[in-house]
Amino acid sequence: MSTVDSITIEVIRHGLLAAAEEMARNLCRTAYNTVVYEIHDYGIGIHDANGDVVADAPGIAVFTRGNDHGIKKAVEFLGRDKLLPGDVILLNYPYWSSAHTLDPLVFAPVHVDGELIGFTSCRIHVLDLKQKDPGYVLDSTDMYQEGIFFTAAKLYRQGEMNEDIFNVVRFNSRMPERTIGDLQAQVSACFSGVRRTQEIAVKYGAAVLTEAMAAINDHGERLARIALAKLPQGTWTAYDFVDQDGVDLDRMIKMNVTVTVTDDEMIVDWTGSEKDVRGPINLPVGQTEAFCSLIFKSLTTPDSPVVAGNFRPLRVITEPGSVMHAVPPMPTFTLWTGLLGGEVVLKALAQGMPDLVPACSGGDVCSMMGLGVNPRNGEAWLEATNEAVGFGGHASGDGADGIMHISEPGCRNNPVEVLETKSPMFIESYGYRPDTGGAGRNRGGVGVQRSYRFTAPSTGICIVYKTKTKPWSIDGGAEGDNNHIVLNPGTDREKVTGGSYNLLDTGEVLVNNTGGGGGYGNPFDREPSKVAADVRNGFVSVASAARDYGVVVDPATFEVDPAATSSLRAVPA
C-alpha cells in the first residue's frame, strides 16, 4: 500500500496526463508530416523507471503499449547506467520497437538529482528511412529490404545533438527535410515531457512521485481485476484471414486465436496462426501484445486512461516464427495483421459474451497513400489517409456509421482540403455507402467511399487487407459489405483490388470503398420505424428495407406501409 495520500496521488496523476497532452500538442505544432498533425498517427507516453506507462495522450492505441515494450528492450540493450540526463534515444528495430522501421520510437530518460525516475516517449510514422520502395513496402521478403535500423542510438547526448545520427538519416532518406523535421518534433515532445515530469518531482519530491507512479499502476490493476471478475468465464476459439502477405498473393493468411477467461486472467493464445509467411505482414511480438491489450482494455477499463497496471491480468501466448511473432530476418513492414487481429479476439469472445462485444466493424483501416512529383512546385510529395468504416451492431444499439477503425480510436482522417492543397489529387466524391451495414435487429454501421482523381502521374498505394472476407455478425445478423478498391471505375481499365502498389497516369481514378459493420440479431426484429429512418437518412435503400428487413417504405414520404410490412414479415427471413 502507498504511504502517499490518495489526493496527492490523484493530483500527480492528472499532472502527468496534462504533461502527456502537452507533449502531443507540441508534437502536432512542430511535425512536418500531415500523417502526424492531421491524422494523429502517434503514440505518446510518460513511464515509470521500469518503462511502464503511467500516462498517455491517445493517438494510435497500440503505439503506447508498444512503447513500453520498446523502452524495456532498449534499456536492456544499452544498460541503465548509459542513460544520462539530456539523452534522447532512437529505436526502430522492429523486433524490439513493436512496429516497422517507419514508426520509430523516440524516448528520453527523466532524471532528478542524478536518479533515473522515468521516461517520456513519442512514436510517430515518418515518411522515409531508406526502405526499398518510396512510401510503403508491401512485398519485402526479409528485414534488409525495409530500411535502416537504429538499435537504441542516441539522437541527443546529454542535451547535445548527435550530428552523426542525423547525417545518417539525412543521406539515407528520400525526404530528408521532412523526416528530420519529424524526428526533431519527437525530440521536442519528449523534452517537454521530461521538463513537466521534473517539475512535478520538484514540487512533491522524487520519492513521492515514484511512489505515486507505482500507486497509479496498482490502482489500474485493481480496476481491471474487478471488471475481469464480472466477465463470463470460458474458452473460445475463432479465426479469420489477412487477404494475402504481399508476396504469395493467392495465399490467405490465417489468424487463429483461443481466448480463455478465468477468475484472475485473460489468456489470448495465438497458437495455430500461420507460419512461414514470406511477405511483410508478420508482427513484432510487442505489437501483438499491444493490440490484445487494446481489446482487453475495451472490455475492462474503457473509461479510464491507459496505465500499464490495466494489463497485468492479461497474458498473450505466441509462437516465435509465426505471423504473430516475427523473428529476424522475417519481414514486418506491412503491419496490417495487428490492425485486423483485434477483431479476431472479439470474434472469439462473441461466442461467450455476445451481449458485451460488437459484431465486426469494416475490419480494416483502409489506408490510401499517394506520392510522386507535384507539378505545382516540382517537389516530391507524399500524402496519406486512413478511411472510416462502419462499426458492428451490438446488444445496446446500432453500429456507428463511418468512423475510424477500433485499432485507432484517437485518430482522424486527412481532410479533403489538406489532400487537395498538398498534392495533385482531386477528391471527386466522398460520402457514406448505403446498404453496406449488415442488417440486424441492431444495424451495422455503413462504410464510406472516397474517389481520388490524380492530376499528375502518381503512385497510389492501397493498404487494405480485409477484402476477401466479410465483416462477421452476431446472433442472426447479416454480414457487412467488404472493403475494396476500384481503379478507373466504369472504364475498360476497371480493376477491383485490395492491398496493391499502383502506377497511375494523369486523369486516372482510384476509389476507396470501406466496409460496413456486421449486424446484430434477426433483421426482421428491427422496429419498422428505425428502418424507415435509415431509408430517410440514406443508410438503407428502399429495396434493402424490403429485402433484408421485411419493411416496406414509401420512397416519397418515407412512411412505413404496415399491411405490406406485415405480409413480408410473415415470410421467414
Side-chain angles (χ1 to χ4, degrees):
M1 296 292 293
S2 174
T3 59
V4 181
D5 68 274
S6 58
I7 293 176
T8 300
I9 292 171
E10 190 68 358
V11 170
I12 288 174
R13 183 175 74 87
H14 281 275
L16 294 171
L17 286 169
E21 290 291 345
E22 182 177 337
M23 290 172 65
R25 291 194 299 273
N26 190 333
L27 174 71
C28 289
R29 284 197 300 266
T30 55
Y32 282 46
N33 177 358
T34 61
V35 171
V36 178
Y37 64 77
E38 291 288 353
I39 296 177
H40 291 182
D41 191 331
Y42 58 69
I44 285 173
I46 297 176
H47 311 253
D48 65 17
N50 296 318
D52 289 321
V53 65
V54 293
D56 83 325
I60 289 187
V62 297
F63 276 1
T64 305
R65 281 296 287 159
N67 289 3
D68 286 18
H69 187 93
I71 289 171
K72 292 175 182 180
K73 286 291 186 180
V75 172
E76 179 184 336
F77 176 70
L78 287 175
R80 296 176 70 87
D81 59 329
K82 299 292 179 60
L83 297 169
L84 304 175
D87 284 353
V88 181
I89 312 301
L90 170 63
L91 171 65
N92 77 332
Y93 185 60
Y95 317 99
W96 296 354
S97 73
S98 311
H100 64 191
T101 51
L102 291 194
D103 289 341
L105 168 63
V106 171
F107 71 94
V110 181
H111 290 84
V112 175
D113 296 330
E115 179 187 357
L116 177 64
I117 65 165
F119 301 91
T120 64
S121 70
C122 177
R123 185 195 302 273
I124 67 170
H125 179 86
V126 300
L127 297 181
D128 197 279
L129 282 171
K130 206 183 179 182
Q131 70 281 2
K132 76 179 187 70
D133 300 316
Y136 220 83
V137 177
L138 303 183
D139 63 353
S140 51
T141 54
D142 64 46
M143 59 187 276
Y144 304 107
Q145 301 168 36
E146 297 184 342
I148 53 176
F149 302 115
F150 295 96
T151 50
K154 289 192 176 183
L155 277 175
Y156 279 71
R157 297 179 181 274
Q158 295 181 273
E160 297 295 326
M161 180 189 294
N162 185 351
E163 292 282 1
D164 292 342
I165 298 299
F166 280 99
N167 282 331
V168 171
V169 173
R170 181 173 292 109
F171 290 98
N172 285 278
S173 175
R174 298 173 181 90
M175 295 182 167
E177 180 182 1
R178 293 174 71 182
T179 301
I180 289 174
D182 285 340
L183 289 175
Q184 290 284 40
Q186 290 179 269
V187 171
S188 179
C190 286
F191 275 151
S192 65
V194 169
R195 183 171 61 253
R196 295 303 185 211
T197 305
Q198 288 173 333
E199 289 172 356
I200 294 172
V202 168
K203 183 173 183 178
Y204 295 97
V208 170
L209 174 57
T210 299
E211 193 169 334
M213 287 179 170
I216 289 167
N217 270 322
D218 289 345
H219 181 253
E221 178 183 3
R222 288 195 297 274
L223 291 178
R225 291 195 182 280
I226 290 168
L228 179 65
K230 298 176 182 178
L231 295 179
Q233 296 183 11
T235 298
W236 310 279
T237 296
Y239 63 89
D240 209 333
F241 296 91
V242 184
D243 282 353
Q244 39 98 353
D245 68 353
V247 175
D248 295 320
L249 303 184
D250 295 325
R251 177 189 178 189
M252 295 176 69
I253 306 301
K254 186 177 182 180
M255 302 173 286
N256 189 84
V257 71
T258 298
V259 183
T260 299
V261 177
T262 69
D263 280 334
D264 57 1
E265 67 177 346
M266 178 183 286
I267 306 165
V268 182
D269 185 351
W270 292 99
T271 301
S273 294
E274 208 85 16
K275 293 184 176 179
D276 302 317
V277 176
R278 293 204 300 152
I281 63 164
N282 301 291
L283 288 185
V285 68
Q287 182 156 129
T288 301
E289 293 169 350
F291 80 73
C292 292
S293 297
L294 171 62
I295 300 302
F296 181 75
K297 184 163 182 63
S298 72
L299 284 168
T300 53
T301 55
D303 298 322
S304 62
V306 168
V307 297
N310 293 150
F311 311 108
R312 289 174 184 167
L314 173 67
R315 180 155 57 100
V316 179
I317 298 173
T318 58
E319 296 178 290
S322 72
V323 71
M324 292 297 179
H325 188 149
V327 296
M330 292 171 65
T332 62
F333 200 99
T334 311
L335 297 169
W336 252 239
T337 309
L339 306 179
L340 275 57
E343 298 210 72
V344 188
V345 178
L346 291 175
K347 188 177 183 180
L349 292 171
Q351 299 170 42
M353 49 187 84
D355 292 342
L356 298 179
V357 302
C360 187
S361 77
D364 202 320
V365 303
C366 301
S367 185
M368 200 293 293
M369 178 180 292
L371 58 97
V373 176
N374 193 331
R376 294 197 291 262
N377 55 23
E379 296 180 356
W381 67 275
L382 189 158
E383 295 297 332
T385 188
N386 298 338
E387 212 59 89
V389 297
F391 265 37
H394 47 89
S396 301
D398 297 342
D401 301 295
I403 63 172
M404 305 309 286
H405 186 253
I406 62 172
S407 62
E408 48 181 22
C411 293
R412 312 180 299 194
N413 58 17
N414 219 337
V416 170
E417 296 83 356
V418 171
L419 294 174
E420 291 186 339
T421 299
K422 291 182 172 290
S423 73
M425 292 191 291
F426 175 70
I427 310 304
E428 291 193 320
S429 63
Y430 184 29
Y432 289 127
R433 295 180 63 215
D435 295 340
T436 54
R441 182 175 75 250
N442 294 328
R443 173 178 61 81
V446 300
V448 303
Q449 179 187 87
R450 185 159 11 186
S451 177
Y452 303 81
R453 182 177 295 275
F454 292 84
T455 60
S458 304
T459 298
I461 305 174
C462 303
I463 318 172
V464 185
Y465 281 80
K466 187 177 176 62
T467 69
K468 297 179 181 178
T469 57
K470 292 191 173 185
W472 45 268
S473 59
I474 293 178
D475 194 27
E479 294 177 323
D481 191 33
N482 60 341
N483 311 286
H484 59 283
I485 302 292
V486 182
L487 300 173
N488 299 308
T491 72
D492 57 4
R493 295 168 293 145
E494 180 174 317
K495 179 182 178 182
V496 179
T497 186
S500 55
Y501 206 92
N502 304 286
L503 302 179
L504 303 169
D505 288 331
T506 300
E508 292 201 272
V509 174
L510 185 155
V511 183
N512 193 353
N513 298 282
T514 76
Y520 187 103
N522 186 345
F524 274 38
D525 292 337
R526 186 167 178 80
E527 296 174 23
S529 62
K530 290 185 176 181
V531 178
D534 287 338
V535 174
R536 183 174 62 249
N537 291 325
F539 298 133
V540 174
S541 67
V542 170
S544 173
R547 179 184 67 245
D548 301 323
Y549 293 93
V551 176
V552 178
V553 179
D554 187 302
T557 66
F558 302 113
E559 297 294 329
V560 175
D561 184 328
T565 296
S566 296
S567 177
L568 272 183
R569 287 194 162 185
V571 180

